[in-house]
PDB file of all heavy atoms in Angstrom:
ATOM      1  N   ALA A 391      -1.402  -2.816  16.580  1.00  0.00           N
ATOM      2  CA  ALA A 391      -2.246  -3.424  17.629  1.00  0.00           C
ATOM      3  C   ALA A 391      -3.662  -3.735  17.148  1.00  0.00           C
ATOM      4  O   ALA A 391      -4.586  -3.874  17.955  1.00  0.00           O
ATOM      5  CB  ALA A 391      -2.273  -2.564  18.896  1.00  0.00           C
ATOM      6  N   LEU A 392      -3.845  -3.867  15.843  1.00  0.00           N
ATOM      7  CA  LEU A 392      -5.160  -4.210  15.288  1.00  0.00           C
ATOM      8  C   LEU A 392      -5.223  -5.712  15.080  1.00  0.00           C
ATOM      9  O   LEU A 392      -4.681  -6.230  14.105  1.00  0.00           O
ATOM     10  CB  LEU A 392      -5.380  -3.540  13.932  1.00  0.00           C
ATOM     11  CG  LEU A 392      -5.017  -2.064  13.794  1.00  0.00           C
ATOM     12  CD1 LEU A 392      -5.229  -1.609  12.363  1.00  0.00           C
ATOM     13  CD2 LEU A 392      -5.872  -1.249  14.729  1.00  0.00           C
ATOM     14  N   GLY A 393      -5.893  -6.396  16.007  1.00  0.00           N
ATOM     15  CA  GLY A 393      -6.030  -7.824  15.819  1.00  0.00           C
ATOM     16  C   GLY A 393      -6.144  -8.569  17.122  1.00  0.00           C
ATOM     17  O   GLY A 393      -6.027  -7.985  18.206  1.00  0.00           O
ATOM     18  N   SER A 394      -6.388  -9.871  17.013  1.00  0.00           N
ATOM     19  CA  SER A 394      -6.601 -10.709  18.193  1.00  0.00           C
ATOM     20  C   SER A 394      -5.791 -11.993  18.116  1.00  0.00           C
ATOM     21  O   SER A 394      -6.086 -12.954  18.833  1.00  0.00           O
ATOM     22  CB  SER A 394      -8.078 -11.087  18.305  1.00  0.00           C
ATOM     23  OG  SER A 394      -8.870  -9.923  18.315  1.00  0.00           O
ATOM     24  N   SER A 417      -3.772  -8.271  20.472  1.00  0.00           N
ATOM     25  CA  SER A 417      -2.631  -7.981  19.630  1.00  0.00           C
ATOM     26  C   SER A 417      -1.281  -8.145  20.312  1.00  0.00           C
ATOM     27  O   SER A 417      -0.271  -8.290  19.636  1.00  0.00           O
ATOM     28  CB  SER A 417      -2.740  -6.550  19.104  1.00  0.00           C
ATOM     29  OG  SER A 417      -2.686  -5.623  20.176  1.00  0.00           O
ATOM     30  N   ASP A 437      -3.779  -2.517  25.591  1.00  0.00           N
ATOM     31  CA  ASP A 437      -5.118  -3.089  25.516  1.00  0.00           C
ATOM     32  C   ASP A 437      -6.086  -1.988  25.093  1.00  0.00           C
ATOM     33  O   ASP A 437      -6.293  -1.015  25.815  1.00  0.00           O
ATOM     34  CB  ASP A 437      -5.466  -3.643  26.911  1.00  0.00           C
ATOM     35  CG  ASP A 437      -6.722  -4.503  26.939  1.00  0.00           C
ATOM     36  OD1 ASP A 437      -7.728  -4.086  26.356  1.00  0.00           O
ATOM     37  OD2 ASP A 437      -6.686  -5.577  27.579  1.00  0.00           O
ATOM     38  N   THR A 438      -6.651  -2.146  23.900  1.00  0.00           N
ATOM     39  CA  THR A 438      -7.581  -1.177  23.329  1.00  0.00           C
ATOM     40  C   THR A 438      -8.986  -1.766  23.300  1.00  0.00           C
ATOM     41  O   THR A 438      -9.981  -1.044  23.417  1.00  0.00           O
ATOM     42  CB  THR A 438      -7.110  -0.817  21.900  1.00  0.00           C
ATOM     43  OG1 THR A 438      -5.766  -0.358  21.981  1.00  0.00           O
ATOM     44  CG2 THR A 438      -7.980   0.252  21.260  1.00  0.00           C
ATOM     45  N   GLY A 439      -9.017  -3.108  23.124  1.00  0.00           N
ATOM     46  CA  GLY A 439     -10.300  -3.808  23.113  1.00  0.00           C
ATOM     47  C   GLY A 439     -10.172  -5.170  23.791  1.00  0.00           C
ATOM     48  O   GLY A 439     -11.125  -5.933  23.843  1.00  0.00           O
ATOM     49  N   GLY A 440      -8.966  -5.451  24.265  1.00  0.00           N
ATOM     50  CA  GLY A 440      -8.732  -6.753  24.910  1.00  0.00           C
ATOM     51  C   GLY A 440      -7.324  -7.282  24.727  1.00  0.00           C
ATOM     52  O   GLY A 440      -7.008  -8.391  25.165  1.00  0.00           O
ATOM     53  N   SER A 441      -6.487  -6.500  24.085  1.00  0.00           N
ATOM     54  CA  SER A 441      -5.177  -6.987  23.633  1.00  0.00           C
ATOM     55  C   SER A 441      -4.168  -7.343  24.705  1.00  0.00           C
ATOM     56  O   SER A 441      -3.100  -7.858  24.373  1.00  0.00           O
ATOM     57  CB  SER A 441      -4.536  -5.981  22.691  1.00  0.00           C
ATOM     58  OG  SER A 441      -5.110  -6.106  21.429  1.00  0.00           O
ATOM     59  N   PHE A 469      -3.273   3.729  18.766  1.00  0.00           N
ATOM     60  CA  PHE A 469      -4.243   3.051  17.896  1.00  0.00           C
ATOM     61  C   PHE A 469      -5.561   3.817  18.047  1.00  0.00           C
ATOM     62  O   PHE A 469      -5.982   4.532  17.133  1.00  0.00           O
ATOM     63  CB  PHE A 469      -4.308   1.580  18.303  1.00  0.00           C
ATOM     64  CG  PHE A 469      -5.542   0.799  17.897  1.00  0.00           C
ATOM     65  CD1 PHE A 469      -6.481   1.280  16.994  1.00  0.00           C
ATOM     66  CD2 PHE A 469      -5.749  -0.466  18.421  1.00  0.00           C
ATOM     67  CE1 PHE A 469      -7.603   0.537  16.643  1.00  0.00           C
ATOM     68  CE2 PHE A 469      -6.874  -1.216  18.070  1.00  0.00           C
ATOM     69  CZ  PHE A 469      -7.798  -0.714  17.200  1.00  0.00           C
ATOM     70  N   TYR A 573     -17.778  -0.608  19.197  1.00  0.00           N
ATOM     71  CA  TYR A 573     -16.309  -0.626  19.238  1.00  0.00           C
ATOM     72  C   TYR A 573     -15.730  -0.575  17.820  1.00  0.00           C
ATOM     73  O   TYR A 573     -14.770   0.151  17.564  1.00  0.00           O
ATOM     74  CB  TYR A 573     -15.823  -1.886  19.969  1.00  0.00           C
ATOM     75  CG  TYR A 573     -14.319  -2.046  19.919  1.00  0.00           C
ATOM     76  CD1 TYR A 573     -13.512  -1.449  20.880  1.00  0.00           C
ATOM     77  CD2 TYR A 573     -13.698  -2.770  18.898  1.00  0.00           C
ATOM     78  CE1 TYR A 573     -12.128  -1.567  20.837  1.00  0.00           C
ATOM     79  CE2 TYR A 573     -12.320  -2.889  18.836  1.00  0.00           C
ATOM     80  CZ  TYR A 573     -11.538  -2.295  19.808  1.00  0.00           C
ATOM     81  OH  TYR A 573     -10.173  -2.408  19.740  1.00  0.00           O
ATOM     82  N   TYR A 574     -16.311  -1.345  16.909  1.00  0.00           N
ATOM     83  CA  TYR A 574     -15.750  -1.405  15.555  1.00  0.00           C
ATOM     84  C   TYR A 574     -16.159  -0.223  14.661  1.00  0.00           C
ATOM     85  O   TYR A 574     -15.887  -0.215  13.472  1.00  0.00           O
ATOM     86  CB  TYR A 574     -15.997  -2.781  14.916  1.00  0.00           C
ATOM     87  CG  TYR A 574     -14.921  -3.742  15.405  1.00  0.00           C
ATOM     88  CD1 TYR A 574     -15.163  -4.610  16.458  1.00  0.00           C
ATOM     89  CD2 TYR A 574     -13.635  -3.682  14.879  1.00  0.00           C
ATOM     90  CE1 TYR A 574     -14.162  -5.434  16.954  1.00  0.00           C
ATOM     91  CE2 TYR A 574     -12.632  -4.496  15.368  1.00  0.00           C
ATOM     92  CZ  TYR A 574     -12.888  -5.371  16.397  1.00  0.00           C
ATOM     93  OH  TYR A 574     -11.886  -6.173  16.881  1.00  0.00           O
ATOM     94  N   ARG A 622      -9.291  -1.019   8.372  1.00  0.00           N
ATOM     95  CA  ARG A 622      -9.734  -0.149   9.476  1.00  0.00           C
ATOM     96  C   ARG A 622      -9.706   1.326   9.066  1.00  0.00           C
ATOM     97  O   ARG A 622     -10.575   2.091   9.456  1.00  0.00           O
ATOM     98  CB  ARG A 622      -8.843  -0.324  10.700  1.00  0.00           C
ATOM     99  CG  ARG A 622      -8.776  -1.729  11.225  1.00  0.00           C
ATOM    100  CD  ARG A 622      -9.894  -2.064  12.167  1.00  0.00           C
ATOM    101  NE  ARG A 622      -9.657  -3.410  12.670  1.00  0.00           N
ATOM    102  CZ  ARG A 622      -9.448  -3.711  13.946  1.00  0.00           C
ATOM    103  NH1 ARG A 622      -9.470  -2.767  14.858  1.00  0.00           N
ATOM    104  NH2 ARG A 622      -9.238  -4.952  14.308  1.00  0.00           N
ATOM    105  N   ASP A 689     -13.069 -10.507  21.067  1.00  0.00           N
ATOM    106  CA  ASP A 689     -13.004  -9.486  22.108  1.00  0.00           C
ATOM    107  C   ASP A 689     -14.357  -9.119  22.680  1.00  0.00           C
ATOM    108  O   ASP A 689     -14.499  -8.107  23.351  1.00  0.00           O
ATOM    109  CB  ASP A 689     -12.333  -8.231  21.542  1.00  0.00           C
ATOM    110  CG  ASP A 689     -10.907  -8.515  21.188  1.00  0.00           C
ATOM    111  OD1 ASP A 689     -10.191  -8.988  22.070  1.00  0.00           O
ATOM    112  OD2 ASP A 689     -10.521  -8.299  20.024  1.00  0.00           O
TER     113      ASP A 689
HETATM  114  N1  LIG B 901      -8.817  -7.137  18.749  1.00  0.00           N
HETATM  115  C1  LIG B 901      -9.227  -5.780  18.966  1.00  0.00           C
HETATM  116  C2  LIG B 901      -8.985  -4.991  17.710  1.00  0.00           C
HETATM  117  O1  LIG B 901      -8.498  -5.537  16.796  1.00  0.00           O
HETATM  118  C3  LIG B 901      -8.499  -5.180  20.119  1.00  0.00           C
HETATM  119  C4  LIG B 901      -7.093  -4.866  19.841  1.00  0.00           C
HETATM  120  C5  LIG B 901      -6.405  -4.199  20.979  1.00  0.00           C
HETATM  121  O2  LIG B 901      -6.857  -4.259  22.124  1.00  0.00           O
HETATM  122  N2  LIG B 901      -5.327  -3.510  20.661  1.00  0.00           N
HETATM  123  O3  LIG B 901      -9.268  -3.839  17.646  1.00  0.00           O
END
Side-chain angles (χ1 to χ4, degrees):
L392 314 177
S394 305
S417 64
D437 191 314
T438 305
S441 281
F469 159 12
Y573 174 87
Y574 277 98
R622 302 275 184 118
D689 295 306

